[in-house]
Amino acid sequence: MPGSAETFLVLGGTAEANRLVAALRAARPDARIVLSLAGRTTTPVLPADCAIRVGGFGGSDGLAAYLTQESVTCLLDATHPFAAGISRNAARAAEVAGTRRIALVRPPWVAEAGDRWTSVACLAGARDALPANARPFLALGRQHLSPFAARPDLRPVVRMIEEPEPPLAFPAEIVLARPSADVADEAALLARLAVTHLVCRNSGGSASFAKIAAARELGLPVIMIDRPPEPAPPVVRTVEEMIAAIAP
């Protein structure tokens, strides 16, 4: 329950959010920390020593009400760089509730020598950028796959943590696994599956970069979906910067 101690609400679902909770607990041992998750994954990786809240708030108004009711001291937005709607709601809710807010946005990936990137603005652009009869590895998450149903010529591969429910709207080879941080493992997977293209969003960060490095190693073209605009400031780039920003 709310009390006199500081209360931090962390909007999570990312590796950075989990690290932030751990760093926040070390920096503020007496604080109340609540980690909010959207609930898309039934078996998420969770940090220790915090309260977990699963599910939406009901838009910016619902979040503003939660911030007030729970006496939240600071709202820390550590959501995915493509969760633009959530970040907009967080900014509006914090303004309405008069709660301090800081966004943690990891830097995007930048193409290097050997990369064969085609940058596109959206999922439909990624779909249309694939040549006929391609076998793309769709590293997108199940909620972002529906546009590819319009390309029956493709022979896609999809990696998921859990079996899709309901089933996908188009035929695809499904790999049930979490992404590997090992470039050799990712390269072996792409080669074994005879993948011709990698399709992904420019999420940035190290947690899922191995597939990008693997595509470079194999000389595979990458269809890279550009990020939406960043959240309103203040914005930090690392967990360490976030902890420094909230220092008393």
Side-chain angles (χ1 to χ4, degrees):
M1 295 297 295
S4 57
E6 294 176 295
T7 296
F8 293 92
L9 175 61
V10 179
L11 303 182
T14 61
E16 286 82 6
N18 289 356
R19 295 205 309 272
L20 175 59
V21 167
L24 190 57
R25 176 57 66 207
R28 298 286 221 280
D30 297 325
R32 177 174 177 250
I33 304 172
V34 180
L35 176 63
S36 175
L37 304 174
R40 293 193 179 98
T41 302
T42 59
T43 56
V45 177
L46 298 175
D49 206 12
C50 70
I52 303 295
R53 184 190 183 281
V54 179
F57 291 92
S60 59
D61 290 342
L63 178 53
Y66 180 91
L67 295 174
T68 300
Q69 293 164 6
E70 298 295 316
S71 301
V72 173
T73 311
C74 192
L75 172 60
L76 306 180
D77 177 6
T79 55
H80 194 277
F82 280 79
I86 298 174
S87 291
R88 283 194 299 269
N89 284 344
R92 291 173 188 147
E95 183 177 4
V96 169
T99 303
R100 186 182 183 194
R101 175 198 63 91
I102 306 173
L104 169 57
V105 183
R106 63 181 99 131
W109 295 317
V110 177
E112 300 179 6
D115 287 328
R116 300 172 60 195
W117 290 12
T118 297
S119 295
V120 296
C122 60
L123 290 166
R127 174 200 64 203
D128 296 343
L130 290 166
N133 303 312
R135 183 166 170 78
F137 189 93
L138 305 180
L140 296 170
R142 61 185 175 184
Q143 68 269 33
H144 306 297
L145 295 173
S146 58
F148 294 88
R151 287 288 306 273
D153 62 300
L154 299 178
R155 299 171 293 114
V157 177
V158 177
R159 177 164 55 196
M160 297 181 169
I161 298 172
E162 302 159 347
E163 284 280 2
E165 184 57 45
L168 296 182
F170 55 88
E173 181 167 352
I174 298 176
V175 177
L176 293 178
R178 292 185 183 274
S180 172
D182 187 275
V183 176
D185 287 347
E186 293 289 84
L189 176 68
L190 297 176
R192 177 174 62 81
L193 295 171
V195 166
T196 62
H197 296 73
L198 173 65
V199 179
C200 63
R201 301 181 296 171
N202 195 335
S203 302
S206 59
S208 60
F209 181 73
K211 63 178 178 288
I212 306 297
R216 179 189 305 144
E217 184 176 296
L218 296 173
L220 293 179
V222 177
I223 311 299
M224 185 68 74
I225 301 171
D226 294 332
R227 288 184 176 188
E230 286 193 351
V235 174
V236 297
R237 300 298 175 189
T238 67
V239 169
E240 292 74 21
E241 288 180 13
M242 180 71 89
I243 296 300
I246 62 172

